[in-house]
Amino acid sequence: MSVITVLYFASVKEKVGVGQEQVSPPAGISTVNDLMDWLATRSDGHAKAFASRAMIKTAVDQTHVPPSSPLGNATEVAFFPPVTGG
Amino acid sequence: MLGPTVRVQREPFDPGAELNAFLSQTPHAGGIAVFVGQMRDFRGADRASGEPVSAMSLEHYPGMAERELSALVADAQSRWRLDGVCVIHRTGDLAPADPIVFVAAASAHRADALEACAFLIDWLKTKAPFWKKETTGAGPRWVEATSADDARAARWDK
C-alpha cells in the first residue's frame, strides 16, 4: 500500500502528540478500523488516543465515513472527536 | 441568484455588516432568515449556575471544513427554493460575545428561508469539522458534543 497522510484533531491530536504523520501500513490493512488497530501500536499516545474507539470519528479524503469503510486508494485519513462547532 | 458564500476565517467578523452585504445581494427575496452564534461566557444550562468561561479557541480541519459547509449549502439548495445562502465560521482565539458563526438564507417567502437557516445550523453543528476548547478557572477543556445536537440534526434526515 502506498503512503497515507494521517491527520489528528482536537483531543485525539493531544493524545497522539502530533497533528499529522505519513504512514505506510503493511499488507492486510484494508479498512479504517484496521488502520486504527495498527496505528494504536505505534506509541503509548496512539494507544491512548484509540482506546475509546466509540468516541472517534473518521474521514477518508475529507469525507465522513464509518470506521468499517475500506481504505481503497485513500491518500488522507483523519481521526477526531465528535465535532462541536457552530 | 448569486453563488452562495462560504467562509472559514481567523479574522473576526461583524454580523451586521455581513447581513447588510447579504441583503444587497438578494434584492428579489421576500424573506431573509439569519442565525448568529456567539461565544458564551459560561458553561452549563444557564449563566446563573454555569462555570465562567473566559476564552475559547476553535480548531478546524482546513479543507474539509470548507468542503462540508459547501456540501451542506448545496443540500439546503436542493431542499428549498433559495435566492441566496451565506455561511461564515470563525476559527482561532475568541473572547466572550465574539460572533462564531453566521448563517443567512434568503427566499421568496419566509418558510423556505427559516427552514433552510435552521437546517444549516443544525447540520453544521453535527457535521462540520470544528472543535471548541473553553478556558475556565480550572484551565482549558474540550467542549463535548451533546445528544441534543444530534437529535436536532436528525429532524432533517430524509
Side-chain angles (χ1 to χ4, degrees), chain B:
Chain B
M1 77 175 247
L2 206 71
T5 297
V6 172
R7 284 185 358 231
V8 176
Q9 61 183 57
R10 276 192 86 84
E11 302 73 36
F13 65 86
D14 174 352
E18 298 299 342
L19 175 57
N20 281 329
F22 185 70
L23 292 174
S24 73
Q25 293 169 5
T26 55
H28 304 297
I32 291 88
V34 176
F35 175 83
V36 177
Q38 64 178 15
M39 190 199 141
R40 283 184 301 174
D41 63 356
F42 65 93
R43 168 197 294 277
D46 59 62
R47 194 161 185 274
S49 63
E51 186 181 1
V53 175
S54 58
M56 173 182 284
S57 66
L58 258 162
E59 183 172 332
H60 76 297
Y61 182 168
M64 183 173 170
E66 292 84 349
R67 281 173 63 143
E68 278 297 307
L69 294 180
S70 295
L72 293 180
V73 167
D75 199 336
Q77 288 172 319
S78 74
R79 292 174 183 232
W80 294 281
R81 293 170 63 94
L82 301 175
D83 292 320
V85 183
C86 177
V87 179
I88 302 169
H89 205 296
R90 276 289 307 278
T91 65
D93 297 325
L94 288 94
D98 276 357
I100 298 172
V101 63
F102 176 92
V103 178
S107 185
H109 304 286
R110 72 182 183 284
D112 280 25
L114 285 166
E115 287 183 21
C117 186
F119 163 85
L120 284 165
I121 187 61
D122 285 347
W123 271 30
L124 182 157
K125 286 188 80 82
T126 59
K127 292 180 190 293
F130 294 90
W131 300 273
K132 289 176 180 148
K133 194 176 203 180
E134 293 174 336
T135 299
T136 68
R141 188 163 56 174
W142 291 104
V143 173
E144 288 181 8
T146 70
S147 55
D149 284 338
D150 290 339
R152 283 199 67 85
R155 298 183 306 152
W156 304 104
D157 281 344
K158 65 170 187 185

Side-chain angles (χ1 to χ4, degrees), chain A residues 15-80:
Chain A
K15 286 175 187 160
V16 171
V18 297
Q20 180 175 339
E21 58 187 340
Q22 311 285 326
V23 301
S24 299
I29 304 294
S30 63
T31 68
V32 176
N33 258 329
D34 293 343
L35 183 61
M36 285 195 275
D37 290 339
W38 179 72
L39 288 169
T41 66
R42 285 170 68 86
S43 75
D44 290 348
H46 287 79
K48 201 174 158 202
F50 289 109
S52 38
R53 200 68 66 89
M55 289 305 292
I56 293 186
K57 301 292 183 185
T58 55
V60 169
D61 291 331
Q62 304 194 355
T63 300
H64 291 290
V65 296
S68 57
S69 298
L71 287 169
N73 295 315
T75 59
E76 184 173 300
V77 180
F79 301 101
F80 43 81

